Amino acid sequence: MDHHFVGIPELTGVPRVAVVIDVMRAFTVAAWGFSRGVERIVLASTESEALALKESHSGWLALKDGPPAAGFDAVNSPGLLRSRDFAGRTLVQKTTAGTVGALAVANAPLVLCASFVVAGPTARFLRTFPQTKDSGPVTFVVTGEGGQAEEDLACAEYIAQRMAGGDVEAAPYLHRARTSRAAADLAGGLRSGYHPDDVDLCLEIDRFSFAMVARQEESLTVLRPVPSWPVASRSVAGSGKDPGSP
């Protein structure tokens, strides 16, 4: 299956199939959120929008990058999120790179958001989903550092190799991510809203058994977990129904 890798600034037009990568930490956090019971994640373009969405919908919660802040219920850290109970809740997420990349391709017919913790399921979904067969190349959006983030590029390349079929050794890709600048910044405490286990949690290959699909629901871009086996095209591409759960 043809594919290519681009940074957010390099996006032109609307891809047919987009896989948005943010390893450290947006789409690791999103996967952990689903594992802790989140029903759906609404992607916000600004912190102000995230708070406005939360305030206008009873029971919704909001999450952002950086340190805790008034109005936000969680920060973008898998280590800080993993013990929370979000059963049945809607989470509004705003981050520096991951949500920006997803919103940039939100009008694509098929958008997946991914990190190492859902890499295998994402590859299986791409390999088996009918919409990817004749839709042109898969566009991997490398969100960090203007498309140069080593951890995101390593994850994108790993998923692309898994998508092609056959066995792929994960260790070299995980090593690239572990020795990336983002990992060093996290380990060194240079990013706010951080837990000491965050790097390790971001590098747990295939921790979860679902892929994550973003689609338009009314005026919102909504991320949901889906099975990594084939599902009906209509259910993902815009019916407004939940196509699955972890």
Side-chain angles (χ1 to χ4, degrees):
M1 192 179 297
D2 291 340
H3 57 271
H4 64 284
F5 310 100
V6 299
I8 298 172
E10 301 167 318
L11 284 167
T12 58
V14 179
R16 293 290 299 166
V17 178
V19 183
V20 187
I21 308 292
D22 190 328
V23 172
M24 298 183 185
R25 292 165 283 175
F27 298 138
T28 300
V29 164
W32 269 100
F34 289 130
S35 79
R36 302 304 301 161
V38 169
E39 179 181 346
R40 64 176 185 168
I41 295 175
V42 176
L43 305 180
S45 59
T46 65
E47 292 184 10
S48 296
E49 181 189 8
L51 289 178
L53 285 168
K54 173 192 169 180
E55 291 167 5
S56 61
H57 295 83
S58 177
W60 285 22
L61 304 173
L63 176 152
K64 73 172 192 70
D65 272 335
F72 285 90
D73 305 280
V75 295
N76 195 43
S77 161
L80 295 173
L81 204 72
R82 61 183 167 175
S83 61
R84 301 283 297 272
D85 180 4
F86 295 111
R89 306 298 288 270
T90 292
L91 185 65
V92 184
Q93 185 181 33
K94 167 66 180 87
T95 69
T96 305
T99 60
V100 174
L103 291 170
V105 295
N107 290 326
L110 179 61
V111 180
L112 292 97
C113 297
S115 63
F116 279 113
V117 297
V118 292
T122 301
R124 287 194 298 274
F125 188 97
L126 288 165
R127 193 165 61 244
T128 58
F129 187 67
Q131 192 170 336
T132 64
K133 300 296 186 181
D134 302 306
S135 58
V138 175
T139 298
F140 287 90
V141 183
V142 179
T143 62
E145 300 177 27
Q148 301 302 310
E150 188 64 20
E151 73 283 0
D152 291 343
L153 186 58
C155 184
E157 292 176 357
Y158 176 72
I159 293 173
Q161 291 298 315
R162 291 281 300 271
M163 182 178 68
D167 294 331
V168 182
E169 175 58 53
Y173 299 94
L174 294 172
H175 176 75
R176 287 167 57 189
R178 187 173 292 279
T179 56
S180 67
R181 181 163 65 180
D185 287 350
L186 280 176
L190 300 182
R191 297 190 182 187
S192 301
Y194 165 72
H195 187 280
D197 292 341
D198 276 356
V199 172
D200 288 340
L201 291 172
C202 288
L203 301 180
E204 288 187 316
I205 195 75
D206 298 348
R207 168 77 189 229
F208 304 112
S209 61
F210 51 85
M212 300 186 296
V213 172
R215 67 179 185 275
Q216 298 302 296
E217 296 186 12
E218 298 178 349
S219 60
L220 302 175
T221 301
V222 177
L223 187 65
R224 293 184 186 267
V226 298
S228 60
W229 53 85
V231 295
S233 175
R234 181 183 173 190
S235 67
V236 172
S239 69
K241 298 179 180 178
D242 186 355
S245 59

